[in-house]
Coordinates of all heavy atoms in Angstrom, one line a residue:
S1 N -44.6 6.8 16.1 CA -44.8 7.1 17.6 C -46.2 7.7 17.8 O -46.9 7.4 18.8 CB -43.7 8.0 18.1 OG -43.8 8.2 19.4
S2 N -46.5 8.7 16.9 CA -47.8 9.4 17.1 C -49.0 8.5 16.9 O -50.0 8.4 17.7 CB -47.9 10.6 16.1 OG -49.2 11.1 16.1
L3 N -48.9 7.7 15.8 CA -50.0 6.8 15.5 C -50.2 5.7 16.5 O -51.3 5.3 16.8 CB -49.8 6.2 14.1 CG -49.9 7.2 12.9 CD1 -49.4 6.6 11.6 CD2 -51.3 7.8 12.8
H4 N -49.0 5.2 17.0 CA -49.1 4.2 18.0 C -49.8 4.7 19.3 O -50.6 4.0 19.9 CB -47.7 3.7 18.4 CG -47.6 2.7 19.4 ND1 -47.3 3.0 20.7 CD2 -47.7 1.3 19.4 CE1 -47.3 1.9 21.5 NE2 -47.6 0.9 20.7
N5 N -49.4 5.9 19.7 CA -50.0 6.6 20.9 C -51.5 6.7 20.7 O -52.3 6.7 21.7 CB -49.4 7.9 21.1 CG -48.0 7.8 21.7 OD1 -47.5 6.7 22.1 ND2 -47.2 8.9 21.7
E6 N -52.0 6.9 19.5 CA -53.4 7.0 19.2 C -54.1 5.7 19.2 O -55.4 5.7 19.0 CB -53.6 7.8 17.9 CG -53.1 9.3 18.0 CD -53.3 10.0 16.7 OE1 -53.7 9.3 15.7 OE2 -52.9 11.2 16.6
G7 N -53.4 4.6 19.2 CA -54.1 3.3 19.3 C -54.2 2.6 18.0 O -55.0 1.5 17.9
H8 N -53.7 3.1 16.9 CA -53.8 2.4 15.6 C -53.0 1.1 15.6 O -52.0 1.0 16.3 CB -53.3 3.3 14.5 CG -54.1 4.5 14.3 ND1 -55.4 4.5 13.8 CD2 -53.9 5.8 14.6 CE1 -55.9 5.7 13.8 NE2 -55.0 6.6 14.3
E9 N -53.4 0.1 14.8 CA -52.7 -1.1 14.6 C -51.7 -0.9 13.5 O -52.0 -0.7 12.4 CB -53.6 -2.3 14.2 CG -54.6 -2.6 15.3 CD -55.5 -3.8 14.9 OE1 -54.9 -4.9 14.5 OE2 -56.7 -3.6 14.8
L10 N -50.4 -1.1 13.9 CA -49.3 -0.7 12.9 C -48.5 -1.9 12.5 O -48.1 -2.7 13.4 CB -48.4 0.3 13.6 CG -49.0 1.8 13.8 CD1 -48.0 2.6 14.7 CD2 -49.3 2.5 12.5
T11 N -48.2 -1.9 11.2 CA -47.2 -2.9 10.7 C -46.1 -2.0 10.0 O -46.5 -1.2 9.1 CB -47.8 -3.9 9.8 OG1 -48.8 -4.7 10.4 CG2 -46.8 -4.8 9.1
C12 N -44.9 -2.2 10.3 CA -43.8 -1.4 9.7 C -43.0 -2.3 8.8 O -42.5 -3.4 9.2 CB -42.9 -0.8 10.8 SG -43.7 0.5 11.7
V13 N -42.8 -1.8 7.6 CA -42.0 -2.5 6.6 C -40.6 -2.0 6.8 O -40.4 -0.8 6.6 CB -42.5 -2.3 5.2 CG1 -41.6 -2.9 4.1 CG2 -43.9 -2.8 5.0
V14 N -39.6 -2.8 7.0 CA -38.2 -2.4 7.2 C -37.2 -3.2 6.4 O -37.5 -4.3 5.9 CB -37.9 -2.6 8.7 CG1 -38.8 -1.8 9.7 CG2 -37.8 -4.1 9.1
R15 N -36.1 -2.5 6.2 CA -35.0 -3.2 5.5 C -34.3 -4.1 6.6 O -34.3 -3.9 7.8 CB -33.9 -2.2 5.0 CG -34.4 -1.2 4.0 CD -33.3 -0.3 3.5 NE -33.7 0.6 2.5 CZ -34.1 1.9 2.8 NH1 -34.1 2.3 4.0 NH2 -34.4 2.7 1.8
P16 N -33.7 -5.2 6.1 CA -33.0 -6.2 7.0 C -32.0 -5.5 7.9 O -31.8 -5.9 9.1 CB -32.4 -7.2 6.1 CG -33.2 -7.2 4.8 CD -33.6 -5.8 4.7
N17 N -31.3 -4.5 7.4 CA -30.2 -3.8 8.1 C -30.7 -2.5 8.8 O -29.8 -1.7 9.3 CB -29.0 -3.5 7.2 CG -29.4 -2.5 6.1 OD1 -30.6 -2.3 5.8 ND2 -28.4 -2.1 5.4
S18 N -32.0 -2.3 8.8 CA -32.5 -1.1 9.5 C -32.3 -1.1 11.0 O -32.4 -2.2 11.6 CB -34.0 -0.9 9.2 OG -34.2 -0.6 7.9
R19 N -32.0 0.1 11.6 CA -31.9 0.2 13.0 C -33.4 0.3 13.5 O -34.0 1.4 13.3 CB -31.0 1.4 13.4 CG -29.6 1.2 13.1 CD -28.8 2.4 13.5 NE -29.1 3.5 12.7 CZ -28.6 4.7 12.9 NH1 -27.7 5.0 13.8 NH2 -28.9 5.7 12.0
R20 N -33.9 -0.6 14.3 CA -35.2 -0.6 14.7 C -35.4 -0.8 16.1 O -36.5 -1.3 16.6 CB -36.1 -1.6 13.9 CG -35.6 -3.0 13.9 CD -36.5 -3.8 13.0 NE -36.3 -5.3 13.1 CZ -35.4 -5.9 12.4 NH1 -34.8 -5.3 11.4 NH2 -35.3 -7.2 12.5
S21 N -34.4 -0.5 17.0 CA -34.5 -0.7 18.4 C -35.7 0.1 19.0 O -36.4 -0.4 19.9 CB -33.2 -0.2 19.1 OG -32.9 1.1 18.8
Y22 N -36.0 1.3 18.4 CA -37.1 2.1 19.0 C -38.4 1.4 18.7 O -39.4 1.5 19.5 CB -37.1 3.5 18.6 CG -38.0 3.9 17.4 CD1 -39.2 4.4 17.7 CD2 -37.7 3.6 16.1 CE1 -40.1 4.6 16.7 CE2 -38.6 3.8 15.1 CZ -39.8 4.4 15.4 OH -40.7 4.6 14.4
L23 N -38.5 0.7 17.5 CA -39.7 0.0 17.2 C -40.0 -1.1 18.2 O -41.1 -1.4 18.5 CB -39.7 -0.5 15.8 CG -39.8 0.5 14.6 CD1 -39.8 -0.3 13.3 CD2 -41.2 1.2 14.7
D24 N -38.9 -1.8 18.6 CA -39.0 -2.9 19.5 C -39.5 -2.5 20.9 O -40.1 -3.3 21.6 CB -37.6 -3.6 19.7 CG -37.2 -4.2 18.4 OD1 -38.0 -4.5 17.6 OD2 -35.9 -4.3 18.2
R25 N -39.5 -1.2 21.2 CA -40.0 -0.7 22.5 C -41.5 -0.4 22.4 O -42.1 -0.2 23.5 CB -39.2 0.6 22.9 CG -37.8 0.4 23.1 CD -37.2 1.6 23.9 NE -37.3 2.9 23.1 CZ -36.4 3.4 22.3 NH1 -35.3 2.7 22.1 NH2 -36.6 4.5 21.7

């Protein structure tokens, strides 16, 4: 959240069963 607000380009590595609803926002 912090890095996104600062404008960095982010790629998140996630497990298939991870809850990632907040990433989708």
Side-chain angles (χ1 to χ4, degrees):
S1 182
S2 170
L3 294 169
H4 178 265
N5 288 346
E6 292 175 0
H8 296 288
E9 295 182 56
L10 294 168
T11 298
C12 290
V13 177
V14 303
R15 297 183 181 94
N17 60 349
S18 293
R19 291 178 295 178
R20 54 180 190 267
S21 57
Y22 101 94
L23 285 180
D24 295 334
R25 296 196 297 268

